[in-house]
Each structure stands twice: as structure tokens, then as C-alpha cells.
Amino acid sequence: MIRFLAVQHTFSEFLGALEPQFEARDIAFTYLRPVTGQDVFANALQFDSLWLLGGAYPVDDATHAPWVADELRLVRAFERAQRPVVGLGFGAHVVALAHGGEASPLPPHLAYWTTAHATDAGRDDPVARAVDGRRVLVMANGSVAAPPDAAPLVVDDAGRWIALRPQPRTYAVLFRPELKPGMIEDMIMEDD
């Protein structure tokens, strides 16, 4: 059986709409929850993929996300084991940071609809082709500049990166395919 590890950064952000897709394909998933104090540690060889989920704070907020350094080590361990890594929202920022992107706490909250535009670098990428021309919801807090060696695969209407692939099996995605309406309501209420 295929097994995914998902790192959950808040109580309200989980695999959401992706869970039934995984279950229909007999993919098991295990949540690792640093938000509850659980250590960010896993053996990359025990899992087939790493999913880094959204979060309520910027990745450089050490007060609210003190586990980011451990998570960067986890990303590198999965990549060394040649396991896929997917970062969504906060998780995308962790991936970009792991590959040399620079973090900023600004803007503190970022949520907007935009049209996804595949770039020349994303022309042959299946994710970029799948979303090209579609309206997507981008959600993250703070920002991380695209790593110097990772050309964006997808940009928003303003030309900012919303998807990149710094390694052949690693994606950073700022648009949020996992979100369900109830999750958004829970996010709003979780930390006021």
C-alpha cells in the first residue's frame, strides 16, 4: 500500500478535498502535527511522499512556527530518499525556503483568486498544464521569494510565482486544491 506523510500546521488545515481522492486510490496517509507539539521527525523510507500543508503564520515566525528548521531537514531527507514532496500554502513556502528562497513576514495575510498562467518553464509540466488558464485560490501568510535555481512553473495575474518545482520530485504550490468551504470557515475562527 502507498503511504503519504502529511505535516499539519494548524487544526483546521488538513488534506481536505484530497483525502477522498487518496482513499479511492488505496493511498493511506498519516498526519504529523507539530501544532500539537509533536516532533517533526519521520523516516523518509517509511513513506512514499511528503505533503506539507497550509499554516496560519509566515514561515519566519519562530514564535508560532518553531518547527520550521526541523521541517526543512525533513524536506531534505525525503528528497535524498528520492520521495516526492508537495508543499501547499505554508508548505510551499517551506519548500521554497529549503531551496534558497528568502522569507518575509509580509504580507501577513494573503488570499486572492487569480488566473493561473503556465510559464515557459512550466510548458511541459503536468501540474502547470492542468491549471493553465484556470481560476485558482492562492492562500499563504508572509512570502518567500522563488529560489534562484527554481524557475516558476505557474504565475498569477501579476506575474508572482504560485507554483514551482525546485527538484524533479518536489513541488511548491501556493494555490490550494485541498481546501473545502468548511475548512476556510474553521481557519477564520481558529486564531480569530
Side-chain angles (χ1 to χ4, degrees):
M1 175 179 267
I2 296 173
R3 294 181 62 218
F4 289 173
L5 177 65
V7 180
Q8 186 176 7
H9 303 108
T10 70
F11 294 104
S12 56
E13 298 191 54
F14 56 101
L15 287 167
L18 298 174
E19 284 185 359
Q21 300 294 322
F22 294 159
E23 290 167 347
R25 291 166 175 81
D26 290 326
I27 298 171
F29 43 89
T30 299
Y31 284 101
L32 189 141
R33 296 179 171 97
V35 68
T36 66
Q38 190 174 8
D39 287 337
V40 179
F41 175 79
N43 183 339
L45 298 177
Q46 292 178 331
F47 297 95
D48 297 291
S49 181
L50 172 65
W51 290 73
L52 308 171
L53 304 177
Y57 299 95
V59 294
D60 63 352
D61 184 340
T63 300
H64 293 99
W67 58 79
V68 170
D70 293 332
E71 203 164 319
L72 294 171
R73 284 190 286 279
L74 189 63
V75 167
R76 292 180 188 113
F78 270 76
E79 289 178 339
R80 278 192 308 277
Q82 297 187 16
R83 301 290 199 256
V85 175
V86 179
L88 303 172
F90 179 98
H93 284 167
V94 171
V95 167
L97 196 61
H99 289 278
E102 291 191 32
S104 169
L106 301 174
H109 304 289
L110 186 66
Y112 63 96
W113 288 94
T114 189
T115 302
H117 304 278
T119 64
D120 286 342
R123 180 180 36 236
D124 296 325
D125 182 84
V127 171
R129 285 197 327 259
V131 299
D132 189 35
R134 293 180 183 251
R135 298 285 291 169
V136 295
L137 175 61
V138 172
M139 279 183 64
N141 297 306
S143 60
V144 176
D149 296 335
L153 301 176
V154 182
V155 296
D156 66 8
D157 289 326
R160 296 175 295 234
W161 78 270
I162 57 173
L164 51 87
R165 193 173 72 190
Q167 293 283 326
R169 292 182 176 94
T170 302
Y171 279 94
V173 178
L174 292 174
F175 54 89
R176 306 293 296 277
E178 84 284 13
L179 290 181
K180 301 189 300 186
M183 290 172 66
I184 296 171
E185 179 182 349
D186 289 346
M187 282 183 228
I188 292 167
M189 293 176 9
E190 186 170 329
D191 277 329
D192 295 325

